[in-house]
Amino acid sequence: MLRASVTGRFRFRARLTLGAVLTAVACTSAAASPGPPVSPAAGPEGGPGGGFPMRIIAYVASSGAGAAPSFDVRLERRVTSTEVGNGPTGVGAAPDGATVYVANGQSNTVSFIETTHHKVVATVPVGSYPFSATPSRDGQRVMAANWGSDTVSVIDTATRRVVATAPVGELPHSVTTLPGRVSYVSNSGSNDVTVLSKEDRAVARIPVGDFPSGITSTGKGDRVYVANTGSGSISVIDPATRKVTATWAVGKGPLGLGLSPDGLRLYVADSAADKVLIIDTSTGRVLHEVPVGKTPQGVAVSPGGSRVWVTNEGSDTVSVVSPETRKVRATLPTGNRPEGIAITPR
């Protein structure tokens, strides 16, 4: 039973790690610069003079270091590192880019980091073992998936307080938010997705594959994608009907997900194969496989879509992938056990 693995899950640092995932499935994801990036090439968003905003920042949850290192996305270079709570795993970026939110699994808190000075401005207590922290589309709330208490804590970003606690399925892993303040929560332990209404009530449970982990949705909110790490598949959900409309067999251990801005490509961290998969969302076909570091975890796409950033938990690095060339442009050190990642929209 997956619940039996919770203690072990805590012990292995709240990681998204494939070994932990497969174990659970069998039982029933300051400032020192590391130097220049590896052979960065010029591009529309990746180099000077390319028209990319000056301070788009990627934040990484370094679960083994209790820190959130940050990187300049345009220059592909480390900026600094911000101390947060213990065992950080998930990161979310506010729609205005002014704040990022870090779920600290071993501290049972969410850190608010202001992105101008990279400082923690608030630490909010939530439920047991928060695994992810995802802002609503309007930026007024943050949804923390509490792996250890089978709930989602709803934080008001203005008051920085928990205003609601919603029961969901077993071992909630990640959250994606849709327009209208609706949320979809992947439940790793019960192999389903909980739909939360704008009133923060569970209004549906949608069965998916084994050990659902990463989850994302289109800009319009007309599709939700779920990575079933234990099944080696992606479930596609239609929010209008709240039903799975397709199941794609992809990779060995799909985990983190990211979408291109136009919604035509889905980027999947295949944690069991050390690759990023590029999937055509109209067909579910894997178009390309890009080798990255060991045990890739989180995925984040730059605002213009020209770069995909992937954390490699087993290599202590982040890979910067060009979807156009389908190659790694840079490999940057992150610190101990990087997991979640988010890129500010501006």
Side-chain angles (χ1 to χ4, degrees), residues 152-218:
V152 168
S153 294
V154 183
I155 304 170
D156 182 286
T157 56
T159 64
R160 298 169 180 168
R161 295 179 181 272
V162 172
V163 295
T165 301
V168 291
E170 293 183 20
L171 310 183
H173 188 289
S174 297
V175 180
T176 188
T177 56
L178 278 62
R181 303 217 310 199
V182 173
S183 303
Y184 279 59
V185 185
S186 61
N187 302 309
S188 298
S190 48
N191 297 336
D192 59 14
V193 170
T194 297
V195 182
L196 296 178
S197 68
K198 64 180 180 180
E199 293 83 18
D200 308 312
R201 294 196 301 266
V203 293
R205 294 275 290 271
I206 305 169
V208 289
D210 292 339
F211 210 100
S213 53
I215 188 168
T216 192
S217 53
T218 59

Side-chain angles (χ1 to χ4, degrees), residues 223-310:
R223 261 188 170 187
V224 173
Y225 299 96
V226 185
N228 303 308
T229 309
S231 299
S233 65
I234 301 292
S235 293
V236 183
I237 298 174
D238 180 354
T241 62
R242 296 175 182 162
K243 294 184 182 297
V244 173
T245 59
T247 301
W248 303 332
V250 296
K252 296 179 179 180
L255 195 51
L257 301 178
L259 267 176
S260 62
D262 58 13
L264 298 179
R265 298 289 182 266
L266 180 68
Y267 305 106
V268 181
D270 190 345
S271 58
D274 300 340
K275 295 177 181 178
V276 170
L277 311 179
I278 303 177
I279 297 175
D280 182 338
T281 57
S282 65
T283 64
R285 185 168 66 93
V286 177
L287 300 175
H288 306 284
E289 299 181 355
V290 182
V292 289
K294 295 179 180 179
T295 325
Q297 302 281 306
V299 177
V301 182
S302 65
S306 71
R307 302 289 179 263
V308 178
W309 287 58
V310 184

Side-chain angles (χ1 to χ4, degrees), residues 17 90 314:
T17 315

Side-chain angles (χ1 to χ4, degrees), residues 2-341:
L2 280 170
R3 173 59 71 181
S5 69
V6 172
T7 301
R9 185 74 171 183
F10 288 10
R11 178 67 183 87
F12 55 71
R13 311 177 300 275
R15 296 180 302 171
L16 305 174
T17 315
L18 177 71
V21 168
L22 296 184
T23 297
V25 171
C27 294
T28 42
S29 146
S33 171
V38 178
S39 303
E45 291 180 336
F52 199 70
M54 288 301 292
R55 295 296 285 181
I56 303 296
I57 303 295
Y59 285 84
V60 172
S62 184
S63 63
S70 50
F71 301 82
D72 187 308
V73 170
R74 183 179 67 88
L75 300 177
E76 296 169 1
R77 191 163 60 198
R78 182 161 168 155
V79 176
T80 188
S81 184
T82 304
E83 291 187 5
V84 289
N86 294 328
T89 52
V91 188
D96 63 2
T99 312
V100 297
Y101 313 101
V102 181
N104 304 305
Q106 294 177 9
S107 297
N108 300 335
T109 60
V110 171
S111 296
F112 283 45
I113 301 175
E114 59 87 8
T115 58
T116 300
H117 301 98
H118 312 287
K119 301 294 185 182
V120 173
V121 293
T123 301
V124 182
V126 291
S128 174
Y129 220 85
F131 210 81
S132 58
T134 307
S136 59
R137 297 287 183 99
D138 60 12
Q140 295 179 4
R141 305 187 302 177
V142 175
M143 315 296 287
N146 301 312
W147 171 278
S149 53
D150 298 342
T151 61
V152 168
S153 294
V154 183
I155 304 170
D156 182 286
T157 56
T159 64
R160 298 169 180 168
R161 295 179 181 272
V162 172
V163 295
T165 301
V168 291
E170 293 183 20
L171 310 183
H173 188 289
S174 297
V175 180
T176 188
T177 56
L178 278 62
R181 303 217 310 199
V182 173
S183 303
Y184 279 59
V185 185
S186 61
N187 302 309
S188 298
S190 48
N191 297 336
D192 59 14
V193 170
T194 297
V195 182
L196 296 178
S197 68
K198 64 180 180 180
E199 293 83 18
D200 308 312
R201 294 196 301 266
V203 293
R205 294 275 290 271
I206 305 169
V208 289
D210 292 339
F211 210 100
S213 53
I215 188 168
T216 192
S217 53
T218 59
K220 295 180 180 180
D222 57 352
R223 261 188 170 187
V224 173
Y225 299 96
V226 185
N228 303 308
T229 309
S231 299
S233 65
I234 301 292
S235 293
V236 183
I237 298 174
D238 180 354
T241 62
R242 296 175 182 162
K243 294 184 182 297
V244 173
T245 59
T247 301
W248 303 332
V250 296
K252 296 179 179 180
L255 195 51
L257 301 178
L259 267 176
S260 62
D262 58 13
L264 298 179
R265 298 289 182 266
L266 180 68
Y267 305 106
V268 181
D270 190 345
S271 58
D274 300 340
K275 295 177 181 178
V276 170
L277 311 179
I278 303 177
I279 297 175
D280 182 338
T281 57
S282 65
T283 64
R285 185 168 66 93
V286 177
L287 300 175
H288 306 284
E289 299 181 355
V290 182
V292 289
K294 295 179 180 179
T295 325
Q297 302 281 306
V299 177
V301 182
S302 65
S306 71
R307 302 289 179 263
V308 178
W309 287 58
V310 184
T311 58
N312 304 306
E313 189 268 345
S315 300
D316 294 343
T317 61
V318 62
S319 296
V320 183
V321 176
S322 166
E324 182 179 1
T325 64
R326 301 178 294 280
K327 294 181 179 179
V328 173
R329 289 172 43 88
T331 300
L332 310 173
T334 58
N336 196 7
R337 299 195 305 270
E339 298 194 42
I341 182 170

